[in-house]
Amino acid sequence: MMLHLLKLPLQRESLAGPIAPSTGNRPESNDDSTPKLGEWVLVEDYLEGDYQKFISNSGWVKPQCMTTYKSIPAFAHWSWVHTGGQLMVSDLQGVRYSDKYMLTDPCILSLSRDYGATDLALIGMGLFFMTHQCTDICHSLGIAHKRPNMAAMQQFLNKDMIQLSTSYIAKEQYDKLPAQTKQHIRSILLASVGQFMW
């Protein structure tokens, strides 16, 4: 996949591989997502094929992920285990080809909530594990038993928090959650990781 850096009006510079941080000549972000003349935008090639959402950042998993797309939720689970419960790759969508997936626009869930408005933090991680059912891929990766204590988690992921996170959770809304609730969910997630991390 090729990413393209464009300066409007369409002065094109193609970039392949990792993108280095921009230096200078970069406009301040605006509240409106519509690009303005003179702004730089980053776009990707069109993905040919059946574009679909596999998992969301709020716990939803496409039903076919138990049979056809098993590697997608297993990857999210693996990312949580691999980072010691600090991060989780989520919100995965794209196109499945015969030998690979081309995924786009993922979201990172983090304990510190450092990754923007789609980072649902502890709530997103907890909701993922409430819906995730390990398959043979999780077993082959050795992560099937590496999960939070969901009985304890469910006490704190009440209906209001689930509704808040599945619609859209703004930073201001997340910040209003009781600190004790956020800390308890964090301790459940990290205690689970601590049981099996090196």
Side-chain angles (χ1 to χ4, degrees):
M1 174 173 288
M2 175 94 56
L3 294 177
H4 306 280
L5 184 61
L6 306 173
K7 185 171 186 181
L8 300 177
L10 300 184
Q11 296 169 351
R12 180 178 174 157
E13 298 174 31
S14 293
L15 298 176
I19 298 173
S22 173
T23 56
N25 201 14
R26 185 174 169 178
E28 295 296 318
S29 64
N30 57 43
D31 295 309
D32 183 32
S33 62
T34 305
K36 308 286 188 267
L37 287 177
E39 283 188 328
W40 290 91
V41 294
L42 188 63
V43 296
E44 63 186 18
D45 289 336
Y46 176 77
L47 293 176
E48 294 285 341
D50 183 19
Y51 187 91
Q52 48 194 314
K53 189 168 198 83
F54 301 107
I55 63 172
S56 74
N57 59 337
S58 60
W60 178 83
V61 177
K62 186 178 183 105
Q64 292 86 344
C65 285
M66 286 300 297
T67 55
T68 308
Y69 311 119
K70 297 185 283 188
S71 58
I72 297 290
F75 172 64
H77 185 171
W78 175 87
S79 69
W80 180 79
V81 171
H82 184 72
T83 63
Q86 299 294 309
L87 303 171
M88 178 184 283
V89 179
S90 188
D91 200 18
L92 297 171
Q93 57 261 319
V95 177
R96 179 181 184 217
Y97 298 105
S98 61
D99 63 338
K100 64 184 173 189
Y101 289 91
M102 293 294 285
L103 300 173
T104 184
D105 193 28
C107 134
I108 305 291
L109 304 176
S110 68
L111 291 184
S112 55
R113 186 137 199 212
D114 288 335
Y115 293 92
T118 59
D119 180 354
L120 302 183
L122 303 166
I123 294 171
M125 292 178 192
L127 290 171
F128 169 80
F129 281 110
M130 286 178 70
T131 60
H132 175 57
Q133 297 177 21
C134 287
T135 64
D136 57 317
I137 295 179
C138 290
H139 289 278
S140 68
L141 292 171
I143 61 173
H145 66 285
K146 300 172 182 178
R147 302 173 59 97
N149 176 335
M150 293 316 298
M153 181 69 71
Q154 286 175 337
Q155 294 174 18
F156 295 92
L157 289 177
N158 63 38
K159 183 179 177 185
D160 294 334
M161 291 168 64
I162 290 172
Q163 183 178 7
L164 179 67
S165 66
T166 54
S167 56
Y168 175 78
I169 184 167
K171 182 170 178 16
E172 296 78 29
Q173 292 170 313
Y174 178 82
D175 290 342
K176 288 179 185 177
L177 293 174
Q180 183 179 7
T181 300
K182 290 188 278 189
Q183 183 57 38
H184 195 79
I185 294 171
R186 179 185 174 105
S187 67
I188 293 167
L189 285 167
L190 291 179
S192 304
V193 174
Q195 294 173 9
F196 58 83
M197 292 309 290
W198 45 96

